[in-house]
Amino acid sequence: GGKGAGSQPEIGRAAADESKAKIDAAAAAFKSLSDEQQALVDNFNTLRAAQAEYKQLKNQEDKRKANLVTAGINNLGTISFSSESNKKIAIAKKMYASLTADQKALVTNYSVLTAAEAKYAQLQAAANQTAADKVAVENAVQKINAIGKVEYTSDCKVKIDEARNTYNALTATQKALVTNYAVLTEAEAKYAEMKALHEAIEY
């Protein structure tokens, strides 16, 4: 066991001697170069140092720009269907799009931006639907009001049918918003009575 333990320093010294020999050989090789060749080696080392410094500066700049975008995304807050939310999302998207691939990889909350876009689109669709509902309901209300005085005429029948068809084309939500539906049902009932009476007289 003692022999093995004593061999460790020998191995260490052998490795150190080998490294020193390589360094000495490299130094000797450098000295054997011409002045022009030595200048090239010096320039190469300067280039390597400059590249290392550039890489460090680039990494710092990448982190700085990515942090700005991350902060912009965090600033989105609660998304609502408003010009403020729309503007914040647009700015964050523009900032993210301006990043390089390396910088984008450093943005840790990009999923928050995509979720905000989806939420805003959903709110916008709902608002558009609400506007469409309002137009459809108002159209039905006007058709019903246009019936006017119920008479046993083809013109009155056309108005009642138009109002009924317009109402029937509405969604359940829209139908619930029609405030004068009773006017339509009363007009239909009255016209049916007039028709029945007229047919009885003719018979």
Side-chain angles (χ1 to χ4, degrees):
K3 184 177 180 182
S7 65
Q8 291 300 109
E10 294 295 332
I11 294 173
R13 280 196 297 272
D17 290 343
E18 184 179 353
S19 294
K20 184 176 184 307
K22 288 180 179 179
I23 293 171
D24 290 343
F30 181 78
K31 288 179 182 178
S32 69
L33 298 175
S34 66
D35 291 341
E36 292 81 3
Q37 291 171 329
Q38 288 184 9
L40 288 174
V41 172
D42 286 340
N43 288 340
F44 179 72
N45 289 334
T46 301
L47 175 62
R48 290 283 296 273
Q51 287 175 327
E53 184 178 359
Y54 170 78
K55 185 175 181 181
Q56 183 179 8
L57 291 174
K58 179 182 179 299
N59 289 341
Q60 290 174 352
E61 181 65 6
D62 286 349
K63 289 178 182 178
R64 185 186 72 82
K65 288 187 174 181
N67 287 340
L68 286 175
V69 176
T70 299
I73 293 174
N74 284 335
N75 191 45
L76 292 176
T78 302
I79 302 302
S80 62
F81 183 58
S82 64
S83 58
E84 182 181 1
S85 283
N86 190 30
K87 185 177 180 180
K88 285 182 178 181
I89 291 171
I91 292 172
K93 284 178 64 178
K94 186 174 182 180
M95 290 174 66
Y96 182 81
S98 70
L99 299 180
T100 64
D102 289 340
Q103 292 165 354
K104 287 177 180 178
L106 296 174
V107 177
T108 57
N109 60 347
Y110 178 66
S111 61
V112 174
L113 175 57
T114 55
E117 288 182 272
K119 177 66 174 177
Y120 187 85
Q122 182 182 23
L123 293 173
Q124 186 176 38
N128 291 341
Q129 183 60 43
T130 300
D133 287 344
K134 185 175 181 181
V135 171
V137 169
E138 183 60 29
N139 184 42
V141 169
Q142 289 177 2
K143 293 285 186 183
I144 294 172
N145 286 336
I147 295 172
K149 183 179 179 182
V150 179
E151 298 173 341
Y152 187 63
T153 63
S154 59
D155 182 57
C156 185
K157 181 68 166 64
V158 167
K159 290 180 180 178
I160 291 173
D161 288 346
E162 283 185 355
R164 168 54 65 184
N165 292 335
T166 301
Y167 178 84
N168 287 347
L170 300 179
T171 64
T173 300
Q174 293 167 345
K175 286 177 180 178
L177 298 174
V178 176
T179 56
N180 60 346
Y181 178 63
V183 174
L184 173 58
T185 56
E186 288 172 6
E188 289 174 325
K190 190 170 184 179
Y191 187 86
E193 288 176 8
M194 289 180 173
K195 181 180 179 182
L197 181 60
H198 182 76
E199 290 175 347
I201 293 173
E202 284 187 344
Y203 180 76

